[in-house]
Amino acid sequence: MTSPTSPSLGILTLERGVPPGATPPTPAPGSILNPSTFNFPTIQEIVAGAWVENVVPGDPTLEPAYIAAANRLVERGAVAISSTCGFSIRHQLAVATAVNVPVVMSSLILLPALLRQLPQRGKIAVLTYDSNHLSEDLLGIADPVDRARIVIGGIEGGKYWHDELKRPAPPTDVKAIETDVAACIARLRAEHPEIAVILFECAGFPTVTSAIQRTVKLPVYDITDLCRITMGSIG
């Protein structure tokens, strides 16, 4: 149990289209938004105008809204900032510049460190909500040798992909995520048997991390791991 004065993780959330006064769906177990996921408290602020359909492909006009929401979290006592969408890494630098706390907007921040964990022949599979929009600049890997060790797969077109575009977004279908993610991993491993680690870009995928770990028998990292590392460093 954490005390009310325990340091809080601030989470920047996307718009979900929940009508005013309505109760949003309960976050699934393992979700970054589920209170039971962490052993520290979390607080949330919605990034005004940030929907899946404009955050995933990228919208530079959202930067002021990200900064404003991050500042509200810090004012409320957040000692670190994260987000509910890995594609928010586009605003990593702007938010980190605007607030005086650690900022970890996406699990993609882990990618350079994970590459160093593996032998040169080992590859990392990055699983994303939509591989069409996971551009090279978001990976943060300049070395072509390292880049060749990264393979990307997405679940675009699947049920979860469609659900997240709805307004309001329906309750998370964890089974659908697991089915689509498992199928994507199977395809990637068939093409790249050297895959030794899996990194979930999508902040919705932690709901299936444990199930996928049991299935694929490989290390799986997600945004909640990065949040725990960051909060653990603060004490």
Side-chain angles (χ1 to χ4, degrees), residues 83 129 170-171 195 203 213 217 222:
S83 82
Y129 172 80
I195 290 173
Q213 286 170 331
K217 309 298 185 186
D222 62 45

Side-chain angles (χ1 to χ4, degrees), residues 154-172:
I155 63 163
E156 55 269 17
K159 184 177 185 298
Y160 177 68
W161 185 87
H162 283 288
D163 283 351
E164 287 296 289
L165 293 169
K166 295 175 181 177
R167 300 188 184 186
T172 301

Side-chain angles (χ1 to χ4, degrees), residues 28-49:
S31 166
I32 188 175
L33 296 178
N34 190 305
S36 68
T37 297
F38 301 114
N39 64 351
F40 46 80
T42 63
I43 54 178
Q44 304 168 27
E45 284 284 345
I46 295 172
V47 179

Side-chain angles (χ1 to χ4, degrees), residues 8-208:
S8 297
L9 170 69
I11 303 173
L12 298 169
T13 71
L14 303 191
E15 301 265 20
R16 305 295 290 169
V18 178
T23 302
T26 301
S31 166
I32 188 175
L33 296 178
N34 190 305
S36 68
T37 297
F38 301 114
N39 64 351
F40 46 80
T42 63
I43 54 178
Q44 304 168 27
E45 284 284 345
I46 295 172
V47 179
W51 301 86
V52 168
E53 61 260 36
N54 59 347
V55 173
V56 171
D59 181 353
T61 67
L62 289 174
E63 190 167 287
Y66 267 91
I67 292 172
N71 277 316
R72 291 197 299 272
L73 286 170
V74 173
E75 289 168 3
R76 293 173 57 194
V79 297
I81 304 289
S82 190
S83 82
T84 60
C85 181
F87 286 97
S88 297
I89 196 170
R90 292 187 177 93
H91 308 288
Q92 168 73 29
L93 180 59
V95 173
T97 301
V99 298
N100 192 30
V101 298
V103 176
V104 287
M105 300 283 272
S106 172
S107 62
L108 293 173
I109 292 173
L110 290 169
L111 198 49
L114 295 180
L115 283 168
R116 298 189 69 177
Q117 289 186 11
L118 303 177
Q120 282 290 80
R121 66 182 181 278
K123 292 185 177 181
I124 297 177
V126 177
L127 269 290
T128 177
Y129 172 80
D130 193 325
S131 61
N132 295 310
H133 297 294
L134 192 57
S135 52
E136 294 297 317
D137 58 312
L138 303 189
L139 298 178
I141 303 297
D143 186 330
V145 174
D146 283 342
R147 177 61 186 88
R149 298 168 58 205
I150 300 168
V151 296
I152 298 171
I155 63 163
E156 55 269 17
K159 184 177 185 298
Y160 177 68
W161 185 87
H162 283 288
D163 283 351
E164 287 296 289
L165 293 169
K166 295 175 181 177
R167 300 188 184 186
T172 301
D173 188 335
V174 175
K175 192 60 182 177
I177 298 176
E178 183 181 346
T179 298
D180 288 346
V181 168
C184 183
I185 292 172
R187 291 194 302 270
L188 292 178
R189 294 183 81 181
E191 297 172 12
H192 304 275
E194 309 90 346
I195 290 173
V197 168
I198 294 166
L199 176 65
F200 286 164
E201 169 277 324
C202 180
F205 290 177
T207 57
V208 302

